[in-house]
Amino acid sequence: MAVKLIKISVVYFVIGVLIGMYMSMTEAFDFTPVHVHINLLGWMSMALAGLIYVGFPKAAETTLAKVHFWLHNISLPIMMIGLALLVSGVDSAGPAVAVGGTLMVLGIIVFAINIFKNVKQ
């Protein structure tokens, strides 16, 4: 799971940087929340989780690690597409943000459980 998390985090990093570049070029910063969340929850959080799993391979081999990976990677696009629509004026996109956000929190809780359960000295 470590390598998968690190590789997918780089994909989110590229997406986040491209959104930032677009906003800079157009001088329209409506998508700042999307840019920030993709960089934080996509790039940074996944890269750090991947590095933690490199250091603690026992935790990386668990079902909890797989569940975390999939919840994170299903919820983030749902939440970010919903957020992009929401800041673009599509008020009906709120539930997508809520569903994606809830799944993200569940994924992070699964990650935390995995860490507390399987990361030992």
Side-chain angles (χ1 to χ4, degrees), residues 2 8 21 25-26 38-39 42 51-52 61-62 77 82 85 87 89 96 104 107:
I8 196 73
M21 188 172 104
M25 291 170 62
T26 62
I38 286 177
N39 280 316
L51 291 174
I52 289 168
E61 297 166 2
T62 64
L85 290 169
V87 299
M104 176 63 70

Side-chain angles (χ1 to χ4, degrees), residues 8-114:
I8 196 73
S9 77
V10 172
V11 172
Y12 286 116
F13 187 36
V14 170
I15 293 168
V17 167
L18 289 172
I19 293 170
M21 188 172 104
Y22 166 79
M23 291 188 307
S24 179
M25 291 170 62
T26 62
E27 296 183 9
F29 299 98
D30 296 341
F31 293 111
T32 298
V34 179
H35 165 74
V36 169
H37 280 84
I38 286 177
N39 280 316
L40 179 62
L41 292 172
W43 161 235
M44 292 304 302
S45 296
M46 287 191 180
L48 285 171
L51 291 174
I52 289 168
Y53 287 152
V54 166
F56 300 93
K58 181 181 174 191
E61 297 166 2
T62 64
T63 300
L64 289 171
K66 290 178 182 77
V67 171
H68 164 238
F69 177 86
W70 285 110
L71 277 174
H72 208 117
N73 282 289
I74 290 168
S75 65
L76 189 56
I78 292 169
M79 187 169 62
M80 291 304 93
I81 291 167
L83 187 56
L85 290 169
L86 198 61
V87 299
S88 296
V90 180
D91 293 334
S92 61
V97 178
V99 168
T102 300
L103 291 173
M104 176 63 70
V105 169
L106 290 173
I108 291 169
I109 290 170
V110 168
F111 174 69
I113 291 168
N114 190 22

